[in-house]
Amino acid sequence: MDAWQRLNPQLLRYFLAVAREGSLSAAGVRLNCVPSNVSARLRQLEQQLDTRLFRRQGQRLRLSQAGERLRPHAEHLEQLCQLAWRSVQEDVWSGDLRLGSMETTAAVRLPELLAAFHQRAPRVNLQLSTGPSRRLVEEVLAGELDAGLIGGPFEHPQLDCLPIWQEELMLVLPPAQDAASLGARPQTLLGFPEGCHYRERLERWALTSDLQVAARQSYGSIDAIFAGIAAGMGIGLLPRSLLERHPRVHLVQYQAIAPQLGATTTLLARRRDAGEHPPLSLLLELMRAQSPLNE
């Protein structure tokens, strides 16, 4: 028997859990077992590979160079197992679909789309999570999401980034704010947390406009951003598609900015090596039917 044939693929589940969580205790919670069990399986894997896969950094476990090289292969094997499972299911449009989305896209673009998807594939367990684009990309790369709707343009060698919707970002102001006087005093920027594509556009707009920034405030919800701007706390940048539908839009005013910063594309990012995923393919088909980019 060759050395590689003694490798137990089951041990890679424990390796991935520790790599994703950064500790034995958190990995144990993910795997529903005690930390000592995780530690024992990890030692067994390291013995089979004859190398250290992690190094301790403070209270965290970080991947060694060998661990970094192993991780994409372990993730690929995990995805192959998922595909093998789906291939023998009675209904190909069943199982799980883990979708990530920007907050604004989830609010404006997805409700009707996901309703149509559920009618076509009622047995799919859809898990939708929202967050800033940068975090969604990290979770797609880590195999924690099947796809993510992010702000573009964006490119990554491991990802296919497919254009879905075109958005126009608008400068959102308090109701009594004179846009021409923004430069008269420092302004507070209101937006989503760091890593948000729209927040990065707002920062770039402030820089190109020579705007003095007094402070930056981050909110995890659209309503909180609206309320802050309406109360005169600061200014923000949001897509026109959201503003035209939001019930509190009358509390603010908005105007266009230069298309170099205002025009943006929502992309569907997925791993290139992920293989076929029938529910995701169906969702993409529905997105393309809805999107004017594909007319």
Side-chain angles (χ1 to χ4, degrees):
M1 178 183 293
D2 293 333
W4 68 267
Q5 292 177 306
R6 289 192 286 271
L7 176 63
N8 182 355
Q10 287 293 330
L11 299 178
L12 295 177
R13 293 181 57 245
Y14 296 85
F15 164 75
L16 282 178
V18 177
R20 289 165 177 168
E21 300 295 338
S23 74
L24 297 175
S25 57
V29 173
R30 175 188 279 260
L31 296 169
N32 194 28
C33 65
V34 297
S36 59
N37 192 11
V38 178
S39 178
R41 297 295 183 272
L42 198 57
R43 285 197 305 271
Q44 186 179 353
L45 179 61
E46 290 180 330
Q47 289 170 359
Q48 291 183 1
L49 294 170
D50 193 25
T51 188
R52 294 293 299 274
L53 299 174
F54 291 91
R55 53 185 174 81
R56 185 166 292 280
Q57 187 176 38
Q59 299 298 315
R60 304 281 293 177
L61 288 174
R62 304 291 184 187
L63 287 171
S64 66
Q65 291 184 353
E68 292 283 3
R69 294 194 298 271
L70 177 63
R71 180 169 183 168
H73 299 292
E75 290 173 341
H76 190 203
L77 182 59
E78 179 183 60
Q79 291 157 10
L80 286 175
C81 290
Q82 292 171 354
L83 289 172
W85 175 266
R86 294 191 191 109
S87 70
V88 297
Q89 298 301 303
E90 178 182 351
D91 183 354
V92 294
W93 289 343
S94 63
D96 298 328
L97 174 56
R98 302 164 301 169
L99 179 67
S101 171
M102 295 182 290
E103 183 80 19
T104 52
T105 303
V108 177
R109 301 291 190 180
L110 294 186
E112 295 179 0
L113 181 73
L114 294 184
F117 175 80
H118 180 66
Q119 287 183 339
R120 294 277 298 275
R123 293 182 57 204
V124 172
N125 302 312
L126 176 66
Q127 304 168 35
L128 175 65
S129 59
T130 60
S133 292
R134 189 185 308 165
R135 193 185 80 199
L136 297 176
V137 166
E138 292 171 353
E139 292 178 354
V140 171
L141 287 170
E144 296 170 4
L145 291 175
D146 297 307
L149 290 163
I150 64 171
F154 179 81
E155 292 183 358
H156 191 283
Q158 293 178 258
L159 297 178
D160 282 326
C161 296
L162 311 174
I164 303 297
W165 296 292
Q166 188 68 41
E167 299 288 1
E168 181 185 7
L169 298 180
M170 310 294 287
L171 181 64
V172 187
L173 306 166
Q177 175 73 58
D178 179 10
S181 66
L182 283 175
R185 60 183 179 85
Q187 300 291 328
T188 297
L189 307 183
L190 277 65
F192 293 103
E194 187 175 354
C196 170
H197 184 75
Y198 296 166
R199 174 179 172 144
E200 292 172 359
R201 292 284 183 111
L202 177 60
E203 294 279 359
R204 287 163 55 190
W205 176 85
L207 181 63
T208 57
S209 302
D210 293 323
L211 192 71
Q212 300 180 67
V213 178
R216 295 166 174 82
Q217 296 189 9
S218 299
Y219 297 99
S221 76
I222 298 167
D223 286 337
I225 294 175
F226 261 101
I229 296 175
M233 294 168 58
I235 62 176
L237 206 62
L238 292 170
R240 179 192 287 272
S241 59
L242 171 70
L243 294 165
E244 291 177 343
R245 300 187 188 189
H246 200 280
R248 303 179 69 179
V249 68
H250 63 282
L251 299 177
V252 299
Q253 58 174 320
Y254 59 92
Q255 65 179 42
I257 62 173
Q260 295 93 321
L261 291 176
T264 182
T265 304
T266 301
L267 306 172
L268 181 77
R270 58 183 180 181
R271 286 183 60 134
R272 288 180 175 172
D273 61 358
E276 184 182 1
H277 190 308
L280 180 57
S281 298
L282 173 61
L283 183 64
L284 181 58
E285 175 189 326
L286 294 172
M287 287 178 175
R288 284 174 165 164
Q290 182 193 80
S291 172
L293 289 181
N294 298 285
E295 291 179 350

